[in-house]
Amino acid sequence: MTSLITIAAQYTAERKSAEVTDWAARIGWVVGLLIFIALVYWLMRQGWKWRGSLQSGLPELPTAPGDPGEPRLTMTGRYHGSTTAGQWLDRIVAHGLGVRSRAGLTLTDAGLDVVRPGAASFFIPRDALREARLDKGIAGKVLAEGGLLIVTWEHGGTLVDSGFRSERAAEHNDWVTTLNHLISTTEGAR
């Protein structure tokens, strides 16, 4: 029995890791890894800027009128981004449309006011609204079927899909119905 304990003690004593003796090589690997991470971040940033310059033809975002009228619907939640209509992965980054943020939406007879704390707020005039629907994804954000409210609108001759998610997902159906009704009455008046 004593010999087994002695053998076990010797075995565990031999299993120690080797002392680190080549500090220069370890430091070199750490510095190399940090440089690689910085390079990848810089390339991602350059890609974002490049995409923004490609989309620089989009005009400035409209702002809400002084008196937009009585709110038909209001919603708080998240803005998940905008894409070229029908192309759910073609993110639009010009004028801050690519920045995800919290959002407050207010629908009036004048249009849809999107207030984004910490990001550029914008207004979608009533005559620019084209469609509202429920979908499952936009610009890299995928949720359960019907988890996103997608509003299609025209801006500078380009059809844009903007994705929103309410804090209370049950509101989405009311928004789709009300927006599509507002759009159909606007098209009838044209």
Side-chain angles (χ1 to χ4, degrees):
M1 184 68 148
T2 315
S3 64
L4 286 175
I5 295 174
T6 308
I7 293 173
Q10 288 175 348
Y11 179 72
T12 56
E14 293 172 6
R15 302 261 349 234
K16 288 184 181 177
S17 61
E19 292 287 326
V20 177
T21 55
D22 193 3
W23 282 103
R26 290 206 184 238
I27 290 171
W29 276 105
V30 169
V31 169
L33 182 62
L34 291 175
I35 289 172
F36 176 74
I37 291 170
L39 176 67
V40 168
Y41 175 77
W42 180 79
L43 288 171
M44 288 172 33
R45 185 168 168 78
Q46 291 302 105
W48 189 267
K49 284 180 175 179
W50 177 72
R51 181 174 279 277
S53 68
L54 287 177
Q55 298 166 348
S56 63
L58 282 176
E60 287 294 321
L61 297 173
T63 56
D67 184 23
E70 286 295 312
R72 287 181 175 221
L73 289 174
T74 59
M75 175 174 81
T76 56
R78 302 230 13 114
Y79 167 77
H80 286 287
S82 292
T83 63
T84 305
Q87 304 294 321
W88 73 285
L89 290 175
D90 186 23
R91 182 187 299 266
I92 296 175
V93 300
H95 308 298
L97 287 175
V99 178
R100 291 183 181 169
S101 63
R102 295 203 43 74
L105 276 65
T106 304
L107 180 64
T108 65
D109 287 335
L112 180 63
D113 189 19
V114 181
V115 177
R116 301 188 308 152
S121 297
F122 58 96
F123 181 75
I124 305 171
R126 179 180 180 165
D127 60 346
L129 291 167
R130 296 294 180 259
E131 177 191 18
R133 70 181 188 280
L134 297 179
D135 211 332
K136 63 180 178 180
I138 191 165
K141 181 67 173 181
V142 179
L143 298 167
E145 189 67 44
L148 283 173
L149 169 66
I150 305 294
V151 177
T152 303
W153 54 292
E154 186 176 348
H155 181 58
T158 302
L159 284 179
V160 177
D161 282 344
S162 294
F164 305 95
R165 180 161 174 82
S166 174
E167 291 175 348
R168 294 171 298 282
E171 293 179 334
H172 288 172
N173 289 324
D174 291 339
W175 274 84
V176 169
T177 303
T178 305
L179 274 165
N180 284 328
H181 177 70
L182 183 67
I183 292 165
S184 67
T185 57
T186 302
E187 288 173 353
R190 286 184 202 165

